[in-house]
Structure formats: C-alpha cells, structure tokens
C-alpha cells in the first residue's frame, strides 16, 4: 500500500504565476514545482524571471515576460497559454503616501497594476476558456484595506479591498464551470517590497514585534496557503479569503 497520501499534490496541473520574478510569486512558483506542477511564470524583469525558472524543480516550465500594466501585453500573455488548471496572481506594487498627496495620477498607477491588470487577466483567462473546468484562481491580496487600515496606505489598501470584492463576484459567476476564485491576505512578508516603503530597517524590526506570532511572514508561509488553494484539497472552497498574517488581524 502506498504511504504517500498527499491531498495537496499539484501533479499534472499547469499553473500560471504572475509576479514570479520576485518575492512571494517567486516562492510560490518554486514550491508549486516541488509539488509536481508545470509552471508558466511571468514577470517584467527577464533576468530575475529566468533566475526563478532555473530554480524550478522538474522540466518543461515556461517563462513569459510581460508588463501587465499594458493591456495589450496581458492579451499577448493569454494568447501564449494553451490552458491552465490554476493561476496565482501576485504581480503588484506598494505605495506609502498620505491621502492629501495621493493625486489621481498616482492612484491610477497603483490601481493599474494591482487591480485593473489582475481583473483583466482573470477576465481574459475565463472568457477565452484558457482557465479550464475545475481551475483554481488565487489572488495575492493583503490585509491592507481589509483588516488593516494604517496611515499612508489608503491607495494601496483600496486596490486590495477592490480585489477582495471583485474575487467574490468572480467566484459566484465562475462556479458554473467549477472554477474557484479565492484570495490570500498576507500581513507583512519579508520580500523586497517592504524594504522599498518609507519605514527604516529599525522601524520594520520594531513593527514585526507587534505580530502575535513574533515575526513578519516569510514567502513560504504564503506559498503553503497557495498550494492548498490550488490543490483539490480545497475543492469546496471558493469566494473566501485566507488570512496569513501571524495573527495581526486578531
Ligand atoms: N510583501 C508583503 O508584505 C506583502 C503583503 C501583502 C500583500 N503583498 C502582495 O504580494 C504581491 C507580491 O509582492 P512581493 O512582496 O512579492 O513584492 P516584490 O518582491 O516586489 O514582487 C512584486 C512582483 O510583481 C511584479 N510586477 C510589479 N509590477 C508589474 C508589472 N507592471 N507587470 C508585471 N509584473 C509586475 C514584479 O515584477 P518585476 O520585479 O519583474 O518588475 C515582481 O515579480 C503584491 O501583489 C503585494 O501587494 C505583499
């Protein structure tokens, strides 16, 4: 009798990961490959994307560069995909800026990649039927704008709250094809993104102490959740948000 009971396997699944050239998306791509998936990875920076590609377990993975803030590049990306059993949409950026300095231009810039591009990619994957029956779509959302409302993160938080809302409509409408749509809402995760904000290294270390689990998250904390949501272990889970936040939302 086999001793390899594994409800979380991704064996035989083709998974698209955006934002795979860095941070959370990169870790998710690597860990999904270790779980047996075939990966289609996307990012803007070709060198860092290829670094991820070279770290994937197994053979036959594909890297496709695209700037997803450009709608024609989203179309082009979808046209290069034959079919997927899952997608993790991790491409995104931060912004730390008080409301009074959040001009429409700045808002557009952040909404473009965090919300509009993610929504458009989901729309095209569904409409073109590239997202196959039973596919699982996982959006890397945030606690920002949902359980965490901190000064200076209004625009970023609003993009993430919009995604959270949008995901539930998709979950409802896509259920007819048994396609599931869920969000992961991470707290602060150790990636390059958090070091590009306005907090100093000392302030980040101090902030991490507020977390009940005693530390910021690691990319693998998020990828373990993504594996669950991509796998058949979560086949009765849709329209939900998985908070991976070291307890900070309690
Ligand atoms: N780190 C955190 O604390 C945290 C917490 C909650 C949620 N999140 C969310 O997690 C996601 C990933 O963030 P991260 O922490 O992994 O940050 P990261 O290390 O900076 O990675 C961001 C990724 O998004 C890609 N990206 C950005 N703009 C893009 C564009 N216009 N077109 C295509 N790809 C683009 C980047 O590609 P290139 O590098 O190739 O340009 C990179 O692969 C984001 O959506 C972020 O909001 C992060």
């Amino acid at each position: 009798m086999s001793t390899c009971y594994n409800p979380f396997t991704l064996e035989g699944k083709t998974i698209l990961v955006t934002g795979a050239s860095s941070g959370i998306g990169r870790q998710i791509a690597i860990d999904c490959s270790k779980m047996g998936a075939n990966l289609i990875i996307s990012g803007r920076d070709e060198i860092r994307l290829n670094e991820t590609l070279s770290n994937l377990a197994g053979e036959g993975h594909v890297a496709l560069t695209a700037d997803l803030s450009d709608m024609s590049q989203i179309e082009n990306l979808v046209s290069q995909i034959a079919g997927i059993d899952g997608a993790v949409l991790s491409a995104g950026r931060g912004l730390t800026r008080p409301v009074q300095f959040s001009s429409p231009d700045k808002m557009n810039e952040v909404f473009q990649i965090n919300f509009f591009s993610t929504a458009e990619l989901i729309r095209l994957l569904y409409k073109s039927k590239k997202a196959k029956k039973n596919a699982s779509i996982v959006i890397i959302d945030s606690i920002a704008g949902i359980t965490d409302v901190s000064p200076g993160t209004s625009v970023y938080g609003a993009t993430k709250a919009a995604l959270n809302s949008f995901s539930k409509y998709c979950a409802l409408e896509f259920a007819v094809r048994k396609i599931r749509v869920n969000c992961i809402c991470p707290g602060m995760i150790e990636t390059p993104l958090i070091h590009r904000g306005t907090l100093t290294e000392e302030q980040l270390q101090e902030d991490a102490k507020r977390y009940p689990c005693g530390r910021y998250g690691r990319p693998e904390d998020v990828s373990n959740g993504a594996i669950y949501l991509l796998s058949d272990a979560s086949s009765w889970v849709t329209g939900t948000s998985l908070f991976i936040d070291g307890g900070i939302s309690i």
Side-chain angles (χ1 to χ4, degrees), residues 13 26 43-44 53 55 80 120 132 154 158 172 174 208 242:
K13 292 186 190 288
R26 169 178 275 176
R44 269 183 314 193
L53 186 65
N55 280 304
Q80 293 179 77
E120 177 62 357
K132 295 195 248 171
S154 62
L172 260 189
F174 298 178
L242 177 57

Side-chain angles (χ1 to χ4, degrees), residues 19-25 43-45 48 66-69 90-93 113 140-142 156 160 186-189 191-194 196:
S21 48
S22 182
I24 294 171
R44 269 183 314 193
D45 187 288
R48 282 190 282 100
D67 183 340
L68 299 178
S69 61
S90 188
R93 53 162 288 179
I113 179 62
I140 306 301
D141 199 1
S142 176
Y156 178 73
K160 294 298 186 177
M188 289 284 268
I189 306 294
T191 72
L193 182 143
I194 65 168
R196 285 194 293 263

Side-chain angles (χ1 to χ4, degrees), residues 97-103 154:
R97 186 170 283 223
V99 170
Q100 63 172 326
F101 300 119
S102 299
S103 60
S154 62

